[in-house]
Amino acid sequence: MRLRQEQIAFLAGLLVLALLAWRELSGSPAPVQSRTRAGTAELVHHGAPDLGLVLPDPAAAPALVRALFAPPRDTRPLPPLDLVEPPRRPLAGLLPPPVPGPAPAAYGALLRREVPAQFVADLFASFGAAGGEEGDDEFFAATEEEKGERSTVSLLQAAQEPPDPFADETPEERTARLEGYKKRYDWILRSSGGLVFGRIENPDRFDLVTGSERASEPILFVEIDPVTGRETQLAVGAPALPYHRATVLELGFAGTPANWIELRRREIGEDLTRGSYAAAVEFAGRCTELRLEAPAALAVAERTYRLCMAFDPQDPLPPLGLGRAYEAGFRFEDAFDLYRSLLATFPLRAEVHVRLAELEERFLLTEVAGERFRRAVEVDKAAWEARRGLGRHLVRTGEHSEAIEHLEQASRLVPNAPELLAARVAIRTELAGAYLAAGRLADARRVYEQAVRGDETHQPALAGLLVTSLLDAAAGAPPEMPELEENVGFELLVAGALQRMLAADHTGARDQLALALDADPLRAHVVYDALAFLAEITENEADALGFVDLALEAHPGDAWALFERGRLLGRLGDYEGAREALLGALEIELDFEDALVALGETAFRLGRFEDAERYLERTVELDSARGEVHALRGLNSLHLGAREEARDAFQAALGVDPADPVARAGDAWCTYLAGETTEALIQLADLDDRRRDLPADDPYRVWAKAQSERIQEHGKREEFTDAFNRKRLANGWVTDEGLGPEARMAEGAVEVRGVFTTSGTTRVYREYGANLFASLEADVWLEPTNVRAGIFIVTERARRAGESEITHEASVTRHKDGSTQVRLVRSGRTPEVLDMEQPFPTGEWVRLRIERQGEGSEAAVTLFLNGIPLVESARLAGIAQGTLRVGLLVEGEVGREARVRMDNAAVVYRVE
């Protein structure tokens, strides 16, 4: 007799009770506890095992778990639904880094900003193009006859007396206009005719002012109309007119740098005195600065420095100035030799060490230069030049904290002398720049204000003050900038362009960046960064990517450009290209927080969830106050199957922002995965209720309602499974045979095998209400024979006794020629046969699946082979009505042999 489970359990319990009773009645002594020598019991502690390591997770327990004495079932609840990600807003971008600006490690803290996009068409269509004068295009497009008429009119207008354009100007305006002319032209003041502008052409003309022996020499002068810049009609082609000194009250030369240098050189002279020595050193330094505006400036500077060196060989300032002139003239070997010789002569002068270190750093000898800067500080700890040099070096190498210490020392050590005002302002500007690079915005603003109070026209300080105001959300309106008539510097142009971008003045920002590009081509990458951002916020993404490429071409180590390239490529769907660019940005700065986040999101999009977790974990370590990062990390953990870690991440996001819809959505899904379906539905309803003030098409409200409906519908369904581990076909399966092949159980599967004696179809199927059916899937094994075989779902209509007509069908099969075929039959229409143009595997198990979606006339089917969709959402309205037959089909012709097996069948249906 075969024992049942209940009988076995009763006998086992009875045996245990008998053993316990025997032990109590046998009178065996209790075990003696071990004792120490003092007679006290010795307690031995054993660590309790962690049962969580061996016990299964209740939430992940198999769905088919049943009570001990419950009868076995071939149906089970469905596993939890797959996650449909809630919508997420794009991560905020970064403003283009201005100059001065933060270092990459502080980009996120200071530059992260959501700037509203506004489409501006053709913003960059003419950017950088050299346009002609207004009206040139119209002139060249005119006909020859029209050109002749215009020329005639122009000659007639020229013959008339032109009106005086300065008739209404004020005395102040007239004075300013004449001063402008004096900067461009030589001039003489006649005793009878006022000011005349032009060119003095006397030989050695500068001696007319400085040489008293030529005081009576006539002035040879070519008169020029200062408005047009052309010689007057009387002077064209004629020699210069002599003006006798008796008729000349005063003369002057054009206020050009070349004229100033020549006049100042003659004023100082060749024989220096103690009184003119300091002026000569200052003059030589000014000549070096004017080298680009006066061709002979460097030669004058070198000659003057040598005069100073001969006058006072113990002063290192002239040879240091000469070395600077060598550098300006690209005579670097001469500069190295000079600095090394000075180092031997003045080994305890910190400024000599600083100057040589600066030149070494210029030639990328960074480590050598750093050691020499530190040596300069050791030589003279009170030398502000050494502190400043080391501080600037540390800023360039990214060591901002130590740089701030030395620049603060330099700011305190520099003397409060009037002649060092420029140095004090420069040091404060550099210190504020170091604060800004380190992300210390309030300190940077304070020191920039101090620098501007020292010199209200110092453009780098003004630019820094404007930048800190724009980046500080609590600073209020940016300060009023002084009106600079000309020579606006690169830093102020870039900062002004950023201000215009934030004010949505896109055209003004573009024009100002064009000026900045002309002002300093060596820092073109800064301008291209700003142009790329401008193109992005005006929805010109192709231009944005082009400007990013230009920035990287100008400066391959531009971390912001690499980050922006990664963002733009990711937006275009090129995730591999985005990942490469973002990794490049991370190589430049390991703590580039926004690059880490973007890399995590890119890895998330690529399905590399382990990589995404590493990047996001590092981001949270750097800044734990970013709710959107916690939410993204939670979604990533859900994909990794780490439900508890996901819940912790969503809770962290809600701790930053309790209204974060992504975190609330994710937390609700974690509740659902934990098996608390009712609570999950409550949380989804709460998410919808919190956003009830928003329109009904709010993406988060739509998502919450859709998932609530999915969960409720999913809970009404169950899955029938059959592994065919028995000797006969049962469990509701029906066969449709009689054509030769027969269905039987073989090797743990249902097998259709035999030779067709009549052409037709042999089927093994189950029946369901069409409106309840959801999906069918099964493993199918086919031998390479000339039959059509696979799985099907079908509705039929009875015609006469024993016969029926197919009204609607969906099947995925192997055609007899070996290809994969999808067949769709609609009542009253020709069957639609789709050749998928791919071979159907034979001699191995293939997983086939048919899903039904929608109800009534909206019903559709999706067919899969090994998890890959073959046809998606094909409309098949009648498949949702009547009785549905689902199962295995084998179709063949007379004489064809069939050998087809089906195993692990699963049918999902709704429970009524």
Side-chain angles (χ1 to χ4, degrees):
M1 183 181 69
R2 185 174 180 181
L3 295 178
R4 294 185 301 172
Q5 289 182 349
E6 294 87 343
Q7 294 170 327
I8 294 173
F10 175 78
L11 293 176
L14 185 62
L15 179 60
V16 171
L17 289 175
L19 289 174
L20 292 175
W22 175 79
R23 183 173 180 180
E24 291 292 331
L25 297 174
S26 63
S28 58
V32 180
Q33 295 182 346
S34 61
R35 298 181 180 273
T36 61
R37 292 182 180 179
T40 59
E42 180 181 0
L43 300 179
V44 180
H45 295 277
H46 297 280
D50 185 0
L51 298 180
L53 298 177
V54 295
L55 293 179
D57 184 359
L64 203 57
V65 171
R66 60 186 176 89
L68 176 63
F69 301 119
R73 301 175 61 223
D74 52 16
T75 60
R76 62 184 179 185
L78 293 178
L81 288 166
D82 292 333
L83 171 68
V84 174
E85 293 177 19
R88 291 187 302 113
R89 290 187 305 172
L91 296 172
L94 297 177
L95 296 176
V99 179
Y107 279 175
L110 300 183
L111 300 181
R112 190 181 306 121
R113 189 80 60 88
E114 291 187 10
V115 179
Q118 179 182 350
F119 177 66
V120 181
D122 301 326
L123 181 63
F124 304 98
S126 60
F127 182 79
E133 295 293 332
E134 184 177 357
D136 284 353
D137 293 340
E138 295 181 3
F139 181 80
F140 289 115
T143 64
E144 293 297 327
E145 183 178 353
E146 290 173 341
K147 292 179 183 179
E149 292 177 358
R150 294 186 187 183
S151 301
T152 303
V153 172
S154 299
L155 290 173
L156 291 174
Q157 291 175 347
Q160 299 175 0
E161 185 69 23
D164 184 3
F166 310 113
D168 298 329
E169 67 180 348
T170 63
E172 292 78 10
E173 291 173 343
R174 181 175 185 277
T175 301
R177 178 169 59 84
L178 294 178
E179 289 298 324
Y181 293 160
K182 287 182 178 181
K183 291 180 180 180
R184 297 194 296 271
Y185 307 108
D186 298 340
W187 54 274
I188 58 176
L189 178 61
R190 299 179 300 182
S191 58
S192 59
L195 277 172
V196 179
F197 298 94
R199 253 187 346 264
I200 298 175
E201 295 195 346
N202 295 65
D204 199 6
R205 60 197 186 114
F206 295 102
D207 279 346
L208 296 174
V209 177
T210 59
S212 57
E213 67 277 2
R214 302 179 62 185
S216 60
E217 182 178 329
I219 307 299
L220 300 179
F221 195 80
V222 175
E223 188 175 344
I224 294 177
D225 183 353
V227 178
T228 64
R230 299 174 181 175
E231 297 180 8
T232 60
Q233 194 67 27
L234 295 175
V236 174
L241 296 177
Y243 285 82
H244 295 286
R245 284 301 183 94
T247 63
V248 177
L249 299 179
E250 190 178 356
L251 64 86
F253 299 97
T256 61
N259 288 348
W260 178 85
I261 289 173
E262 187 62 27
L263 289 171
R264 184 63 174 155
R265 182 185 68 80
R266 291 169 183 269
E267 182 181 344
I268 292 174
E270 299 290 332
D271 297 326
L272 299 181
T273 63
R274 182 53 59 185
S276 63
Y277 174 78
V281 174
E282 182 183 357
F283 167 69
R286 182 63 179 152
C287 287
T288 303
E289 295 174 1
L290 295 173
R291 64 189 181 278
L292 300 178
E293 301 176 58
L298 282 180
V300 175
E302 181 177 352
R303 183 167 62 250
T304 306
Y305 277 131
R306 293 192 182 280
L307 289 174
C308 296
M309 291 165 62
F311 181 82
D312 186 357
Q314 300 304 313
D315 186 359
L317 293 182
L320 287 174
L322 178 60
R324 185 72 79 193
Y326 284 156
E327 292 182 49
F330 301 100
R331 297 166 59 182
F332 298 113
E333 292 185 3
D334 293 337
F336 269 116
D337 293 340
L338 178 60
Y339 292 149
R340 291 190 180 108
S341 64
L342 283 175
L343 201 59
T345 307
F346 304 100
L348 299 180
R349 294 296 295 264
E351 57 266 41
V352 179
H353 291 272
V354 170
R355 191 62 60 80
L356 180 55
E358 289 175 343
L359 184 57
E360 289 171 336
E361 186 178 33
R362 187 173 181 180
F363 278 84
L364 304 181
L365 302 173
T366 307
E367 294 183 2
V368 176
E371 294 175 0
R372 198 174 300 281
F373 277 122
R374 295 187 184 279
R375 175 60 180 162
V377 173
E378 293 176 1
V379 166
D380 188 354
K381 290 183 171 57
W384 63 270
E385 299 96 334
R387 296 283 185 179
R388 180 189 183 189
L390 179 55
R392 295 170 68 184
H393 168 76
L394 293 171
V395 167
R396 288 188 287 268
T397 57
E399 302 171 69
H400 300 108
S401 298
E402 187 180 358
I404 288 171
E405 297 177 7
H406 291 285
L407 289 172
E408 286 176 340
Q409 289 285 347
S411 181
R412 286 191 287 266
L413 291 172
V414 62
N416 196 23
E419 63 271 15
L420 291 176
L421 174 62
R424 290 197 299 274
V425 172
I427 292 173
R428 287 171 182 166
T429 303
E430 292 159 0
L431 173 59
Y435 281 135
L436 184 56
R440 297 170 58 176
L441 195 62
D443 290 330
R445 182 178 176 85
R446 171 179 55 81
V447 179
Y448 276 130
E449 289 174 346
Q450 294 175 359
V452 171
R453 284 197 294 269
D455 183 358
E456 294 182 352
T457 63
H458 193 264
Q459 293 195 33
L462 290 170
L465 186 58
L466 178 58
V467 166
T468 54
S469 301
L470 294 174
L471 299 184
D472 188 357
E480 290 291 335
M481 293 290 107
E483 292 291 337
L484 300 174
E485 297 181 358
E486 56 185 11
N487 297 326
V488 178
F490 178 83
E491 295 87 353
L492 205 52
L493 286 170
V494 173
L498 179 59
Q499 182 182 23
R500 291 176 183 271
M501 277 189 270
L502 295 177
D505 181 8
H506 304 120
T507 304
R510 178 203 62 190
D511 296 341
Q512 202 149 355
L513 289 171
L515 294 175
L517 191 60
D518 292 336
D520 191 350
L522 295 179
R523 288 188 282 182
H525 69 283
V526 176
V527 178
Y528 290 134
D529 286 350
L531 286 169
F533 182 79
L534 178 60
E536 180 186 357
I537 63 175
T538 56
E539 299 182 359
N540 292 283
E541 292 191 353
D543 291 312
L545 200 54
F547 285 126
V548 165
D549 291 339
L550 288 175
L552 292 173
E553 182 179 343
H555 181 36
D558 187 343
W560 187 92
L562 288 167
F563 167 77
E564 183 71 1
R565 177 176 173 79
R567 288 184 70 246
L568 293 172
L569 291 178
R571 191 177 301 172
L572 295 173
D574 182 4
Y575 295 118
E576 288 293 347
R579 181 174 179 273
E580 181 181 354
L582 292 168
L583 284 173
L586 207 59
E587 288 178 2
I588 296 171
E589 175 54 67
L590 290 176
D591 291 340
F592 193 165
E593 179 186 333
D594 287 73
L596 283 166
V597 177
L599 270 170
E601 185 178 43
T602 301
F604 179 80
R605 294 298 181 200
L606 289 171
R608 301 174 181 174
F609 303 117
E610 293 82 2
D611 293 345
E613 169 61 19
R614 287 194 290 270
Y615 293 127
L616 296 175
E617 181 182 18
R618 175 59 180 155
T619 304
V620 170
E621 291 175 358
L622 293 174
D623 184 2
S624 61
R626 294 189 63 181
E628 72 276 17
V629 177
H630 288 294
L632 176 58
R633 191 181 181 196
L635 293 176
N636 190 71
S637 295
L638 285 178
H639 283 287
L640 288 171
R643 177 173 54 82
E644 291 301 326
E645 289 79 358
R647 184 183 289 277
D648 292 342
F650 291 130
Q651 290 295 329
L654 292 172
V656 176
D657 180 9
D660 188 337
V662 178
R664 289 199 167 275
D667 190 52
W669 199 259
C670 289
T671 302
Y672 166 68
L673 293 179
E676 303 174 29
T677 304
T678 303
E679 179 62 26
L681 293 172
I682 293 174
Q683 288 181 265
L684 290 172
D686 179 64
L687 172 59
D688 178 52
D689 187 60
R690 284 174 177 269
R691 302 177 70 84
R692 63 183 179 276
D693 294 335
L694 297 174
D697 60 353
D698 172 67
Y700 296 102
R701 296 187 65 187
V702 172
W703 182 89
K705 293 176 181 178
Q707 301 319 303
S708 180
E709 293 173 0
R710 281 183 72 209
I711 291 173
Q712 293 181 65
E713 177 65 22
H714 191 71
K716 299 175 182 178
R717 298 182 178 186
E718 66 180 14
E719 183 180 33
F720 163 81
T721 59
D722 196 339
F724 301 104
N725 293 323
R726 53 186 180 273
K727 296 183 178 180
R728 63 185 182 86
L729 189 63
N731 236 7
W733 291 100
V734 179
T735 61
D736 187 358
E737 302 173 302
L739 304 178
E742 296 181 353
R744 61 189 180 87
M745 304 300 298
E747 300 179 7
V750 59
E751 182 180 57
V752 176
R753 185 171 183 176
V755 178
F756 280 92
T757 58
T758 304
S759 298
T761 303
T762 298
R763 300 186 299 183
V764 179
Y765 62 88
R766 286 172 60 95
E767 292 185 347
Y768 293 90
N771 62 323
L772 304 178
F773 173 80
S775 69
L776 162 69
E777 62 180 322
D779 294 332
V780 177
W781 177 296
L782 285 82
E783 295 294 338
T785 58
N786 293 331
V787 297
R788 185 174 79 93
I791 64 172
F792 71 96
I793 61 174
V794 64
T795 60
E796 297 178 340
R797 178 173 53 204
R799 296 183 60 185
R800 52 181 177 266
E803 295 184 7
S804 61
E805 176 186 6
I806 294 176
T807 56
H808 295 86
E809 176 188 346
S811 62
V812 52
T813 60
R814 175 187 183 271
H815 191 257
K816 60 183 180 181
D817 64 4
S819 63
T820 301
Q821 185 182 84
V822 168
R823 178 175 175 170
L824 302 173
V825 176
R826 301 173 179 88
S827 179
R829 297 169 59 180
T830 303
E832 181 180 356
V833 179
L834 304 176
D835 185 354
M836 307 314 300
E837 298 182 358
Q838 66 183 71
F840 191 104
T842 58
E844 62 183 76
W845 289 105
V846 179
R847 191 71 172 172
L848 302 179
R849 178 179 176 88
I850 302 176
E851 287 184 0
R852 182 183 71 82
Q853 308 96 23
E855 300 294 337
S857 62
E858 299 297 322
V861 291
T862 300
L863 301 98
F864 300 81
L865 185 147
N866 284 333
I868 300 173
L870 300 174
V871 175
E872 297 186 72
S873 301
R875 186 65 63 85
L876 201 62
I879 209 73
Q881 300 173 357
T883 300
L884 195 67
R885 293 179 174 180
V886 303
L888 174 72
L889 71 84
V890 181
E891 178 185 291
E893 299 172 353
V894 175
R896 301 299 185 185
E897 182 181 5
R899 186 180 179 187
V900 182
R901 284 184 285 172
M902 179 177 69
D903 199 2
N904 299 319
V907 181
V908 176
Y909 59 93
R910 188 189 308 123
V911 180
E912 293 183 301

